[in-house]
Amino acid sequence: MCHARRVTSEPVHPLDPTGADPAALAKVVARQRAEMERLRDLAAASAVLERAKGVLMAVTGCTAEAAHEELLRRAEDGHRTLLEQCWLTLGALLPPKEQPLAPPPGPTAPPAAGAREVAPTGTADLAKILGRIGRDLVRSGTPHELAQCLLDHVAPETDADAVMLYERLPEGGLELIGHAGIDATLAAQWRYVPPVTGVVPLDALRCGEPRWLEDLAAEGDRLLLIGGSPERWPSRAWLPVPAGNTAYAALGVLRRRGGPFAARERELLRAVARLCAGRLRALDAPQEHAGDGLAQTVQAVFDALPGAAILLLPLRAATGEVEDYRIEAATPEAVDVFGRTGRQMVGRHVLESYPSVAGEPLWHGYLETLRTGVPFESEPFVYQDVVGDVPVTAIYSVRAAPLGGGLLVTWLRHDRADRQEQRLSDVQRLGNLGWANWNLITQEISWSEQTYAVLGRAPERQPLGLEQLPDLALPEDAGPLAHAIAELLRHARSLDVPFRMDAPGGVRHLRLVAEAVTAPDGTTVEVHGFVQDLTPQRSAELALVESERAMLLQRGILQAERALAARLQHALLPLPSKPVRLAGLRIEVAYLPAQSGIHVGGDWFSAIELPDDDALFVVGDVAGHGIGAVATMAQLRFIAKGMVTTGSSLTGALARLNYLLLHSRDSQSTATLVLARYNPRRQVLTWAQAGHLPPLLVRHGEVRYLDRPGGMLLGATAAPAYESAELHLEPGDRLLLYTDGLVERPGEGLDTGLERLAEAVRVHGCGEAGSLDSLLATMLADERRDDVCVLDIRMPLEGVADGAEAPETDA
């Protein structure tokens, strides 16, 4: 097997003056170069062997040991070296379940020199893709490079947009060890995944089978979707990476395209997951270094030490220069700027976790300590970074001392006490309270700045003693406050006392809360507490009380107005206790006031006999509520009856009523109205309407609404046009005149309400047995938000008594 060697020119040095043999020196150099080449070839062969084993594991599903044995058997059968067999296997892959690993019984001829193993028809394309992936994975030096290599190869075949590699942690969670196609912020957010339910990669590792997330709209609510919302990656796949009979890593494939994974895509991704198992195992192989023993010893000591300290091991390039540092040990109380503590920091690289220190004085101080062995102490410096788009800033002082081949680093964070003090100040300011402390032994008194502000005392003045506080209170509050302070001092009884004091802005409502610190004999030696300004709260409470009083007064006025309007309405619209008979028709009336609100409405009706033995039926609805609506209703009701009684036509009466509403000073409202006049001799009902809902006719079991003649609602325009229509009533007919409160519902169209009324009449109101009460119970099952008025007109069947009484007065 030939290996390419790099030839370099070297300067010719003069002969050694000590007399050393140049030939002997040349032989030593040659042997060293040969040994370096041998070690380099051995490393390359080891990487190729792991790739070939991974290929066989991916294609056949066998274990790593079985794959190694199969490679040795094929190399022996083909009279090839193990490395040649590995390259042949990477170039031409065997498909699963179509060509067995063991050769068929009987003698087989070895392949000719240079021959390649050929995959069966139908799997050559997959084998070629996996071959390319296997060869490229050999060059992957880190899990991140491995993830990028996988994405480069599977993206054209599966429309993949991102790849994530997770490793199972000993405690059961997951750690992101490699990724490609996602940004650093997202990777930081999902670096660690706890062992909770609904984590798909953990499910895939537990069951050893891939999980295909192809309908996130249905599954997303019950799963913890690693990588972001369903809209970002509509379809995903998580596959276990096998390691013998178990799986220790999970491969995630994320796509911006939704929909299921095709059968070929699933087959390819399964093979890729098996293929990368060997390379991950090679990357995870423990690297021996001199610091291992030292790190274990230092960590054992660190576990028992307080404070913040870490052990850094320098990572050097081939030239000997320090490229980075790895944290080998950390004390439990060590906390970095991102909140990681103790052993969460162990194993991290400095430049990966804290890149902004590169080239800074801290970095050069570390290098100087490693070079000279002299400890380094930094001046306080500001460290700034960004985590998840949130800026992080902290002030540190750092000390580094040499320890073995590494650095023992301790640090002090300066801004923690300042932040606590600022937070305490903010709490006092926002709560409008201040703390105070009275030492009865030393007579020392300490107040916070906010205490001076609450008590309205200048900061340059001396704070007051406990016995002097009642002097600040109003006379009526000074006594209870002085008594509570005396009990606190004598018997160590805690106090919580409200009191008032005069201030330039008016009376302020304060609260004093204090408790005692006692000596062993029970004597009070110290008092600490706080004083709080409750003026805004007390002002709000007083305003609320006044508002409640005003509301109750207004409610009483409205209730009185409702009672008055209700009595007026009842006087204007007396309801008959039983059905009545007008012009041979059976008439039943229902009026139901609204159940919500405190105003009565302007719904009304009229049913009377005219001098010529005709009957007049009217149903109307005045816009608005209250006494004004009732008054307008009374005007329309009496004027309409008067005009029709004196001979006005229905359309003429509507025109006059419209003029009345337009020019009345006391009424600025509108109204809807339906007028109907029945001639018993012709059995014809003539009717007209002004913006009102159509009457409902029930005839021979069929229910329909009458076509409305033209007519604008009253009070809307100065030149309305009104038309009339006629309806010939037949025996058994039923006609309903009603207001909109019967059919309207909040959030519902009027057509829906009309359909509901028609259906209710079909069920409860057809025929002579149809009851108006049962119809109303069906239609008004919910709370009524408006008044309801219904006029039920029925033409009796010939020869059938209807049980109605003749009217004595207007219905």
Side-chain angles (χ1 to χ4, degrees):
M1 183 173 183
C2 298
H3 300 282
R5 300 181 185 272
R6 183 176 61 183
V7 179
T8 60
S9 60
E10 300 179 357
V12 178
H13 299 282
L15 295 178
D16 188 355
T18 61
D21 185 5
L25 294 176
K27 290 180 180 179
V28 172
V29 172
R31 283 198 301 271
Q32 291 177 343
R33 286 183 175 176
E35 180 64 14
M36 290 180 61
E37 291 293 336
R38 187 186 68 81
L39 293 175
R40 188 179 296 112
D41 291 343
L42 182 61
S46 177
V48 173
L49 175 60
E50 290 295 328
R51 282 302 90 236
K53 289 165 58 178
V55 167
L56 288 181
M57 292 170 61
V59 175
T60 65
C62 65
T63 64
E65 294 76 12
H68 186 78
E69 294 296 326
E70 179 62 17
L71 288 173
L72 291 175
R73 185 192 64 77
R74 293 186 182 184
E76 182 179 358
D77 292 344
H79 304 286
R80 293 184 289 269
T81 66
L82 179 59
L83 191 59
E84 289 173 338
Q85 182 60 48
C86 289
W87 282 113
L88 283 175
T89 303
L90 290 174
L93 304 179
L94 292 174
K97 301 181 182 179
E98 292 199 13
Q99 182 173 336
L101 287 175
T108 57
R116 298 173 60 88
E117 299 174 358
V118 181
T121 305
T123 61
D125 182 46
L126 179 62
K128 186 182 299 182
I129 296 172
L130 293 175
R132 290 197 301 268
I133 297 176
R135 286 191 296 271
D136 291 344
L137 286 180
V138 177
R139 307 187 186 97
S140 302
T142 65
H144 287 294
E145 294 178 1
L146 188 148
Q148 186 62 56
C149 177
L150 293 179
L151 180 60
D152 292 342
H153 285 281
V154 302
E157 306 296 331
T158 65
D159 289 338
D161 297 289
V163 166
M164 303 178 77
L165 282 170
Y166 274 97
E167 184 178 31
R168 192 205 301 260
L169 296 175
E171 60 271 19
L174 297 174
E175 180 181 8
L176 183 65
I177 59 175
H179 60 83
I182 64 173
D183 54 68
T185 300
L186 186 62
Q189 293 172 346
W190 293 98
R191 182 172 298 276
Y192 293 100
V193 179
V196 297
T197 58
V199 179
V200 181
L202 281 175
D203 292 343
L205 291 177
R206 293 190 189 104
C207 67
E209 293 294 331
R211 290 291 308 273
W212 312 97
L213 302 181
E214 301 166 335
D215 186 10
L216 292 181
E219 298 181 272
D221 292 340
R222 61 182 182 85
L223 299 176
L224 177 61
L225 296 178
I226 294 178
S229 63
E231 293 78 15
R232 186 169 188 177
W233 315 102
S235 60
R236 316 170 190 204
W238 290 98
L239 305 99
V241 177
N245 296 326
T246 61
Y248 71 101
L251 168 64
V253 177
L254 291 75
R255 304 194 301 184
R256 292 191 178 92
R257 173 178 66 83
F261 288 83
R264 181 181 180 278
E265 294 173 341
R266 294 193 177 197
E267 183 180 3
L268 174 62
L269 293 179
R270 288 176 184 269
V272 166
R274 293 192 294 264
L275 185 62
C276 66
R279 189 57 187 164
L280 276 179
R281 188 165 54 254
L283 295 177
D284 289 342
Q287 302 295 322
E288 297 294 336
H289 52 80
D292 280 345
L294 177 63
Q296 295 176 3
T297 303
V298 172
Q299 185 63 64
V301 176
F302 276 7
D303 288 341
L305 288 180
I310 58 175
L311 175 64
L312 294 182
L313 182 69
L315 304 177
R316 301 180 183 273
T319 60
E321 295 181 358
V322 176
E323 294 182 330
D324 202 347
Y325 297 89
R326 182 172 59 246
I327 301 175
E328 294 292 291
T331 58
E333 295 182 7
V335 182
D336 66 6
V337 70
F338 304 113
R340 292 186 286 253
T341 61
R343 296 204 177 192
Q344 293 178 348
M345 303 165 61
V346 175
R348 298 185 177 277
H349 291 187
V350 169
L351 292 184
E352 288 182 1
S353 299
Y354 323 103
S356 61
V357 304
E360 295 296 321
L362 179 64
W363 182 265
H364 295 297
Y366 287 172
L367 296 178
E368 188 67 15
T369 299
L370 287 175
R371 187 180 67 83
T372 64
V374 178
F376 161 75
E377 293 188 12
S378 74
E379 296 293 332
F381 65 93
V382 177
Y383 180 86
Q384 295 180 329
D385 211 324
V386 177
V387 180
D389 297 331
V390 177
V392 177
T393 303
I395 302 175
Y396 291 99
S397 293
V398 177
R399 186 181 189 276
L403 180 62
L407 294 174
L408 178 62
V409 178
T410 59
W411 65 90
L412 178 64
R413 185 166 181 171
H414 297 281
D415 56 340
R416 183 170 300 172
D418 297 339
R419 285 194 299 170
Q420 293 295 340
E421 185 175 347
Q422 182 61 44
R423 288 173 181 171
L424 179 59
S425 177
D426 292 341
V427 168
Q428 294 184 79
R429 177 177 51 82
L430 295 174
N432 206 3
L433 58 86
W435 60 264
N437 189 79
W438 293 271
N439 191 314
L440 306 183
I441 304 299
T442 64
Q443 299 302 315
E444 293 182 7
I445 303 175
S446 301
W447 282 6
S448 67
E449 294 182 4
Q450 194 65 24
T451 302
Y452 287 94
V454 170
L455 294 177
R457 192 171 180 84
E460 60 270 12
R461 301 180 63 182
Q462 291 294 326
L464 299 175
L466 277 171
E467 296 84 351
Q468 297 172 292
L469 290 181
D471 297 337
L472 300 176
L474 295 179
E476 54 268 33
D477 294 342
L481 179 59
H483 176 73
I485 292 176
E487 291 294 311
L488 172 69
L489 296 177
R490 294 173 186 170
H491 306 292
R493 294 177 181 173
S494 300
L495 64 85
D496 186 345
V497 181
F499 65 96
R500 293 167 295 170
M501 63 175 288
D502 282 324
V507 176
R508 300 172 69 179
H509 296 264
L510 305 181
R511 172 194 181 201
L512 176 64
V513 179
E515 63 180 5
V517 178
T518 60
D521 61 355
T523 304
T524 302
V525 296
E526 190 173 359
V527 174
H528 52 80
F530 67 87
V531 59
Q532 185 177 18
D533 187 356
L534 301 177
T535 304
Q537 292 91 318
R538 292 290 183 265
S539 299
E541 291 174 0
L542 293 175
L544 180 60
V545 170
E546 292 299 324
S547 176
E548 290 178 349
R549 289 177 180 173
M551 185 175 63
L552 290 175
L553 178 60
Q554 182 66 22
R555 185 176 184 86
I557 295 174
L558 295 177
Q559 291 284 11
E561 180 184 342
R562 174 182 173 85
L564 175 61
R567 287 195 295 270
L568 177 60
Q569 189 179 54
H570 181 71
L572 296 173
L573 293 176
L575 290 174
S577 59
K578 296 182 180 180
V580 299
R581 187 174 64 253
L582 294 176
L585 301 177
R586 182 180 183 273
I587 311 301
E588 191 172 357
V589 179
Y591 177 81
L592 302 173
Q595 292 177 334
S596 62
I598 61 174
H599 290 300
V600 295
D603 291 17
W604 57 283
F605 68 92
S606 185
I608 62 172
E609 283 190 359
L610 298 177
D612 56 358
D613 296 330
D614 288 0
L616 175 67
F617 305 108
V618 188
V619 170
D621 186 1
V622 176
H625 295 82
I627 294 178
V630 174
T632 302
M633 174 269 290
Q635 283 185 316
L636 296 178
R637 183 171 186 267
F638 289 115
I639 293 175
K641 290 196 301 182
M643 286 191 296
V644 176
T645 302
T646 57
S648 295
S649 65
L650 300 181
T651 55
L654 290 176
R656 293 294 182 88
L657 294 174
N658 180 74
Y659 181 85
L660 172 67
L661 282 183
L662 282 175
H663 297 86
S664 175
R665 295 181 180 180
D666 300 329
S667 176
Q668 301 295 327
S669 62
T670 59
T672 65
L673 191 67
V674 58
L675 286 172
R677 181 168 185 161
Y678 177 67
N679 186 326
R681 296 171 296 280
R682 299 173 52 222
Q683 295 185 344
V684 172
L685 182 79
T686 304
W687 67 287
Q689 62 87 29
H692 203 81
L693 297 176
L696 181 67
L697 175 65
V698 182
R699 175 174 291 174
H700 306 311
E702 295 183 1
V703 180
R704 68 180 179 89
Y705 289 98
L706 301 182
D707 295 332
R708 294 194 307 171
M712 179 67 69
L713 78 163
L714 303 178
T717 177
Y722 296 105
E723 301 174 353
S724 63
E726 290 187 350
L727 173 68
H728 183 269
L729 293 182
E730 299 179 3
D733 282 355
R734 182 183 186 187
L735 192 68
L736 291 180
L737 306 181
Y738 52 91
T739 57
D740 54 9
L742 183 65
V743 295
E744 285 186 342
R745 296 291 181 274
E748 182 180 85
L750 188 58
D751 291 341
T752 303
L754 294 174
E755 292 176 1
R756 184 173 57 253
L757 174 59
E759 181 61 27
V761 171
R762 290 189 188 95
V763 176
H764 299 280
C766 293
E768 281 293 318
S771 169
L772 180 58
D773 291 339
S774 62
L775 174 63
L776 294 177
T778 302
M779 291 296 297
L780 305 177
D782 301 329
E783 182 184 41
R784 295 188 298 278
R785 297 175 179 265
D786 198 0
D787 294 354
V788 175
C789 182
V790 181
L791 203 57
D792 188 358
I793 303 171
R794 305 196 188 197
M795 169 73 84
L797 295 172
E798 293 181 355
V800 178
D802 57 10
E805 298 179 353
E808 298 179 356
T809 60
D810 180 7

